[in-house]
Amino acid sequence: MDFVVYHNPDCGTSRNTLALLRDAGVAPRVVEYLRTPPSRAELAELIRRMGLAVRDVIRQKGTPYAELGLDDPSLGEDALLDAMIAHPILINRPIVVGPGGVKLCRPSDVVLDLLAPGLTSPLLKEEGVPFLVDESVRADDPALLEALQAAALPIDDLTETACRFFAYRTLAGQRIGFGGYEALGENALLRSIVVQPDWRAKALGRNLVALLQRRAFDEGARRAWVLTAAAAPFFEKIGFKPVARDDAPAAVLATRQARELCPADATLLARAIRF
């Protein structure tokens, strides 16, 4: 089966995804969907194969999403599909079809899920930063524990919660850092986020957090939360907003991070997970 990329050449994420596929030796069929959009049935099938709701594949930024009233939660999937066919700019990008499945490749690093390991060179994104490979690690992974202790981040509850932890590296195999989240239904508490000292000045923290949120999104989370004593300015730069603890979901407040491990004056922030 050939690869197909539903591509918008004006989108940096779409261009990065296409570049990585080509670097891996893949010659995909490129569909510029703003010129030749899929049929309604084709779009519905792509969304079904991605395992997402129609609303999850609608692009809000730079589209008539608000003007069309698509933020109305009462709208059903048929109405949303009709809007996407009438206004193809509402179709988020890039959607990649490959032998291993169908993915909305946001962030572009997600396309690596569709490629066999080792196919790519140490390609950089067009903005000059490396693509990130994330790999699940155990909560008692020695390198994870060492990195968290060096950053003065909590480790006491790592094995007590239903958390997922990831190690991040470049395509060249260089270790970038770690991150994790505690899955809480539609919410995810991000935690244990640390970038190795050599990489902290290279604007990779935001990319790491974006990929971490995507993994939480794929497990059903639609809102990300974080508690931090020192990194609130960083999280605000990437779209998180401070939230009063009284306004936080009970599931977030019930975590040991919120109850015990983070300082009482730690800032609680949240953002919708959208791609």
Side-chain angles (χ1 to χ4, degrees):
M1 176 182 177
D2 293 332
F3 279 79
V4 181
V5 180
Y6 291 86
H7 175 58
N8 181 344
D10 293 329
C11 171
T13 300
S14 198
R15 293 194 302 270
N16 280 326
T17 299
L18 186 56
L20 188 57
L21 285 168
R22 288 171 170 164
D23 185 72
V26 174
R29 179 166 66 89
V30 177
V31 178
E32 292 193 21
Y33 65 89
L34 295 182
R35 295 182 177 181
T36 54
S39 69
R40 191 180 190 281
E42 288 170 336
L43 180 59
E45 178 63 8
L46 287 170
I47 294 171
R48 184 196 68 78
R49 292 182 63 192
M50 286 188 282
L52 297 174
V54 174
R55 188 172 292 280
D56 294 333
V57 188
I58 292 182
R59 182 166 177 83
Q60 298 184 22
K61 184 178 179 181
T63 75
Y65 177 84
E67 294 90 321
L68 293 171
L70 300 180
D71 52 354
D72 180 352
S74 69
L75 287 176
E77 297 211 331
D78 284 342
L80 297 175
L81 272 173
D82 288 343
M84 294 167 81
I85 293 302
H87 305 274
I89 192 65
L90 290 165
I91 302 172
N92 214 342
R93 72 274 181 150
I95 296 171
V96 179
V97 182
V102 183
K103 286 277 186 179
L104 174 61
C105 292
R106 302 191 69 85
S108 53
D109 318 72
V110 172
V111 76
L112 291 164
D113 294 351
L114 298 175
L115 295 170
L119 289 181
T120 56
S121 69
L123 182 72
L124 298 180
K125 296 183 180 182
E126 62 180 36
E127 56 268 34
V129 299
F131 289 88
L132 295 183
V133 180
D134 61 346
E135 300 164 326
S136 292
V137 295
R138 290 169 52 98
D140 59 358
D141 180 85
L144 170 64
L145 296 176
E146 181 181 356
L148 295 180
Q149 288 176 309
L153 292 175
I155 63 170
D156 291 351
D157 67 332
L158 295 188
T159 60
E160 297 175 5
T161 59
C163 287
R164 292 195 65 192
F165 296 99
F166 299 88
Y168 297 85
R169 62 174 175 81
T170 69
L171 293 172
Q174 299 157 301
R175 176 65 56 81
I176 297 296
F178 295 91
Y181 63 83
E182 189 168 349
L184 304 165
E186 292 190 353
N187 297 289
L189 180 63
L190 308 188
R191 53 164 302 163
S192 307
I193 297 169
V194 59
V195 177
Q196 301 290 85
D198 291 349
W199 293 94
R200 288 177 188 167
K202 300 183 180 179
L204 285 177
R206 65 187 302 124
N207 294 1
L208 187 157
V209 173
L211 188 50
L212 182 62
Q213 288 183 91
R214 174 57 193 266
R215 298 312 185 190
F217 181 90
D218 286 345
E219 281 199 46
R222 295 298 179 266
R223 193 160 187 83
W225 298 79
V226 66
L227 275 160
T228 177
F234 162 75
F235 284 102
E236 290 188 63
K237 284 181 181 177
I238 60 174
F240 284 76
K241 303 294 183 186
V243 177
R245 293 206 183 201
D246 289 347
D247 295 330
V252 171
L253 297 179
T255 62
R256 195 169 168 207
Q257 287 271 305
R259 288 185 292 107
E260 300 176 26
L261 298 179
C262 288
D265 61 352
T267 304
L268 178 66
L269 304 102
R271 63 159 293 169
I273 306 178
R274 285 196 296 267
F275 297 101

